[in-house]
Amino acid sequence: MAKRDCYEILGIKKNATDKEIKSAYRKLAKKYHPDTNPGDKTAEERFKEVTESYEILSDPEKRKLYDSYGYAAFDGSMGDDPEKYARERSFRQRSNFSGGNGFREFRFEGGSMDDILKHMFSGGFGGDSGSFGFRESAPADYHSEINVSFREAALGCEKVIRFDDGGIGTLKVNIPAGISEGQSIRLAGKGEAGRNGKKGDLLLKVHVSPDSAYTREGRDVYITQNIPVWTAALGGDAEFDTLYGRVKCHVPAGSQSGKKIRLRGKGIVSMKNRNSYGDEYVVLNVQIPKNLTEREKELLKELQMIEEKKRRSSVA
């Protein structure tokens, strides 16, 4: 069964901006997240579909490949480098001359089209034989991706990953605390070896899964938390969740739903300065009690009468 179009899955147009792509993904990821739909296999599949589409369209290079080749750019049918595959195929077709012109068909294995052109214009062809010569190949970088949770990205973690090809095998990778969506980790010497024995690097692009409670803006994080109506009205201490554990904080009297409480230093750590943290903003949600007793109803009616009397006095 053919896969649906990535743009269709996210409900956006093909000229959608990065901001529109991110907004559409957040909305759908929240809707279909497994934590929101426990045991719902359909929602789970939709979540995977939405996440895969976002991973493609949020990456400029992947989006470019998808727009040009569709899912074929990622299903292995075009090799590890679809653009290289297309360029080499075109180059081989243009280079297959017949007749007595001294050229013959050749196939370029590895490297890049820049290498071919350098050889063509720097005497790379081997004299009278008409053969195509190659200089010593340079080491090349490998590129791969890794998925981590919101909290793993915020707090840092160690991941064990396995590569089925490329001769890398299994690696332990330290995910630095504070890393954000789209950033890459460079593992020196884990890339492809050149003919001189030196190796390139492995570049791991990090994708951060959305969290059911937290959202991130820069190094600040946001979370919505419930407080009782009497705490909101009278003020008092309340406990709030943070990435580093629960903390007690004072809620001002008269607080309304939507009010933000700032918790300094409870956000994301800076990757440049490990002593610098963002803040956490707690968005208050005032809870109205349910199943009131008769006494509670009497007290609320008394409060209502007092408030109405105050309002009439202020108008008079």
Side-chain angles (χ1 to χ4, degrees), residues 28-42:
L28 292 172
K30 187 175 182 180
K31 179 179 179 181
Y32 294 112
H33 197 281
D35 290 347
T36 311
N37 305 273
D40 188 334
K41 293 296 183 182
T42 301

Side-chain angles (χ1 to χ4, degrees), residues 1-65:
M1 182 176 178
K3 287 187 176 183
R4 289 201 298 146
D5 179 72
C6 285
Y7 293 97
E8 178 188 342
I9 290 169
L10 294 181
I12 55 177
K13 297 180 180 179
K14 289 198 173 183
N15 61 351
T17 65
D18 292 342
K19 185 176 181 180
E20 289 171 335
I21 293 172
K22 191 171 186 179
S23 176
Y25 170 65
R26 281 184 172 178
K27 180 179 178 181
L28 292 172
K30 187 175 182 180
K31 179 179 179 181
Y32 294 112
H33 197 281
D35 290 347
T36 311
N37 305 273
D40 188 334
K41 293 296 183 182
T42 301
E44 183 179 344
E45 290 303 314
R46 288 285 287 122
F47 180 75
K48 291 179 181 178
E49 188 179 46
V50 165
T51 301
E52 181 185 30
S53 297
Y54 175 71
E55 288 179 356
I56 291 174
L57 299 184
S58 64
D59 184 313
E61 291 300 321
K62 284 187 176 182
R63 185 178 182 181
K64 180 181 176 182
L65 290 172

Side-chain angles (χ1 to χ4, degrees), residues 86-99:
R87 291 196 305 266
E88 290 179 5
R89 182 180 180 185
S90 174
F91 189 82
R92 286 196 297 268
Q93 290 172 344
R94 294 197 305 270
S95 302
N96 187 15
F97 295 96
S98 60

Side-chain angles (χ1 to χ4, degrees), residues 226-292:
N226 299 327
I227 60 169
V229 65
W230 45 85
T231 303
L234 302 175
D237 291 338
E239 284 195 344
F240 298 124
D241 293 326
T242 77
L243 293 168
Y244 313 99
R246 290 179 68 81
V247 299
K248 185 177 288 186
C249 181
H250 181 73
V251 177
S255 293
Q256 306 293 314
S257 286
K259 178 180 175 59
K260 295 183 179 70
I261 302 289
R262 182 181 183 184
L263 303 180
R264 293 181 181 274
K266 296 301 182 181
I268 306 294
V269 67
S270 169
M271 293 182 65
K272 296 181 179 179
N273 180 0
R274 290 303 176 181
N275 295 317
S276 177
Y277 287 77
D279 300 325
E280 175 175 320
Y281 289 88
V282 179
V283 182
L284 300 181
N285 180 44
V286 179
Q287 284 189 306
I288 306 300
K290 300 178 180 179
N291 304 318
L292 297 173

Side-chain angles (χ1 to χ4, degrees), residues 90-152:
S90 174
F91 189 82
R92 286 196 297 268
Q93 290 172 344
R94 294 197 305 270
S95 302
N96 187 15
F97 295 96
S98 60
N101 54 13
F103 284 84
R104 64 185 183 185
E105 182 184 8
F106 61 86
R107 295 181 181 272
F108 180 74
E109 303 294 342
S112 66
M113 290 305 294
D114 288 337
D115 294 326
I116 295 179
L117 296 174
K118 286 177 183 177
H119 285 291
M120 287 178 65
F121 295 105
S122 61
F125 286 102
D128 296 334
S129 67
S131 63
F132 192 73
F134 295 95
R135 294 180 180 148
E136 184 179 89
S137 63
D141 292 337
Y142 284 139
H143 293 264
S144 190
E145 299 177 344
I146 186 170
N147 294 315
V148 298
S149 71
F150 183 93
R151 292 169 191 263
E152 286 174 331

Side-chain angles (χ1 to χ4, degrees), residues 142-311:
Y142 284 139
H143 293 264
S144 190
E145 299 177 344
I146 186 170
N147 294 315
V148 298
S149 71
F150 183 93
R151 292 169 191 263
E152 286 174 331
L155 303 176
C157 67
E158 185 179 83
K159 304 285 279 187
V160 177
I161 54 178
R162 178 175 178 78
F163 295 86
D164 295 328
D165 53 17
I168 299 178
T170 301
L171 286 178
K172 285 186 178 180
V173 180
N174 289 316
I175 306 298
I179 198 164
S180 58
E181 168 66 32
Q183 286 188 289
S184 293
I185 300 170
R186 181 180 292 272
L187 301 178
K190 297 299 182 181
E192 182 179 359
R195 294 187 181 179
N196 58 6
K198 292 183 179 179
K199 287 189 173 183
D201 301 332
L202 169 61
L203 297 174
L204 279 179
K205 187 170 185 177
V206 175
H207 292 294
V208 182
S209 300
D211 190 82
S212 58
Y214 285 98
T215 57
R216 175 177 177 176
E217 292 185 14
R219 290 195 293 116
D220 295 332
V221 295
Y222 292 77
I223 187 172
T224 298
Q225 301 220 277
N226 299 327
I227 60 169
V229 65
W230 45 85
T231 303
L234 302 175
D237 291 338
E239 284 195 344
F240 298 124
D241 293 326
T242 77
L243 293 168
Y244 313 99
R246 290 179 68 81
V247 299
K248 185 177 288 186
C249 181
H250 181 73
V251 177
S255 293
Q256 306 293 314
S257 286
K259 178 180 175 59
K260 295 183 179 70
I261 302 289
R262 182 181 183 184
L263 303 180
R264 293 181 181 274
K266 296 301 182 181
I268 306 294
V269 67
S270 169
M271 293 182 65
K272 296 181 179 179
N273 180 0
R274 290 303 176 181
N275 295 317
S276 177
Y277 287 77
D279 300 325
E280 175 175 320
Y281 289 88
V282 179
V283 182
L284 300 181
N285 180 44
V286 179
Q287 284 189 306
I288 306 300
K290 300 178 180 179
N291 304 318
L292 297 173
T293 66
E294 290 302 317
R295 177 58 179 154
E296 287 172 327
K297 291 178 182 179
E298 289 175 5
L299 290 172
L300 283 175
K301 287 177 181 178
E302 185 178 345
L303 176 62
Q304 180 184 16
M305 292 173 63
I306 293 171
E307 287 296 317
E308 287 178 350
K309 186 177 180 180
K310 284 166 56 179
R311 188 164 54 251

